[in-house]
Amino acid sequence: MKVDPARQDHYERQFVTVDGMMLSYVSAGSGRPVVLIHGNPGSYQDYMLGVVERLAESYHVLAFDRPGHGYSERHDSVQTTVEVQARIIRDALQKIGIEKPVLVGHSWGGSLVLAAAVAYGKEFSGIVLLAPAAYPSLRVEWWSLLPHFPVIGKFVVNTLTPFLGRAFVRKNLKQAYEPQDMQHDYAEQSAEMWMRPKQIRACAYDERTLGASLKVLSQHYYNIEIPVVIVTGSADRLLDPNEHAYPLQKAIRNSTLIVLQDTGHQLPQTKPDDVILAIDAAWAAASAEKSKAATG
């Protein structure tokens, strides 16, 4: 599938201010709300290839740029942990007036959604986790340590990355897509956005701090009571389902696990039909619970 820039960009970016930071998002459709959160690195455009437009036929869809990513601001990369970002997204939804959405997160965004469910579970109708990072068995990439060093980190981010970044992005995206084919137009667009110094720093700190957060968050998954749908690819090379999706399903009693055979990590772009079905399933479960509660 080739990326059609016209189709990606015909939704007007909007902004909401939280903690003095402007957060970027797009909004489409009407009906029950669905909120989409991207991974690391990434942006709202991760969902624009096949998910947002089709979801908007049935739902009110909002796709966010996480703090420091895409077109969203970020004041303090060091302190903006996954728990803090979950709170920022939750506050943004309150400001926009979105009530009881289904919250959807891919990869690192799945960690954010889990953090939101742990802290604010009753404020959501359900959650959908796409190839989620759920446990602290994560490999910290060497490049995420560089921005931590003031002199060499600034030099690498500001000077070398524009020259080395494109090849690095293509290599990592190829691994994320496998065994599906990488969508090269998307890779080129991503390189343009991901290689900006502010986004590199945000991405690096998100990578480096996630493990410590998941070590704490994972102790509370059993408390999540809202409907949970987990989708994973059997051939995911970045987040092994045996280390994340499978144990997560066992930890959350009100959860459903969907395993896509011969499928890699980049689910929003390679398996949009399955993403939409998972969101439908989460809403169906939420509606069933609401009806059950109403009848006593």
Side-chain angles (χ1 to χ4, degrees), residues 231-248:
V231 187
T232 189
S234 67
D236 191 330
R237 293 183 57 190
L238 296 187
L239 293 172
D240 187 341
N242 293 306
E243 296 181 3
H244 296 275
Y246 287 111
L248 181 62

Side-chain angles (χ1 to χ4, degrees), residues 243-278:
E243 296 181 3
H244 296 275
Y246 287 111
L248 181 62
Q249 193 272 330
K250 291 180 180 178
I252 303 176
R253 58 184 176 273
N254 194 18
S255 64
T256 300
L257 176 63
I258 300 170
V259 180
L260 304 179
Q261 296 301 317
D262 301 318
T263 299
H265 185 72
Q266 209 73 358
L267 302 182
Q269 293 153 32
T270 63
K271 297 294 181 178
D273 290 347
D274 295 286
V275 170
I276 292 168
L277 287 173

Side-chain angles (χ1 to χ4, degrees), residues 111-173:
S111 305
L112 186 154
V113 169
L114 283 166
V118 167
Y120 318 108
K122 293 182 179 179
E123 298 181 19
F124 305 106
S125 291
I127 62 174
V128 176
L129 305 165
L130 308 173
Y135 292 95
S137 59
L138 301 166
R139 182 185 65 191
V140 177
E141 298 288 350
W142 62 268
W143 56 266
S144 70
L145 303 175
L146 292 178
H148 182 63
F149 299 98
V151 178
I152 190 173
K154 185 175 181 179
F155 172 75
V156 170
V157 169
N158 293 338
T159 307
L160 296 184
T161 310
F163 299 99
L164 304 177
R166 285 184 178 276
F168 183 75
V169 167
R170 283 194 294 269
K171 178 182 177 182
N172 281 267
L173 273 177

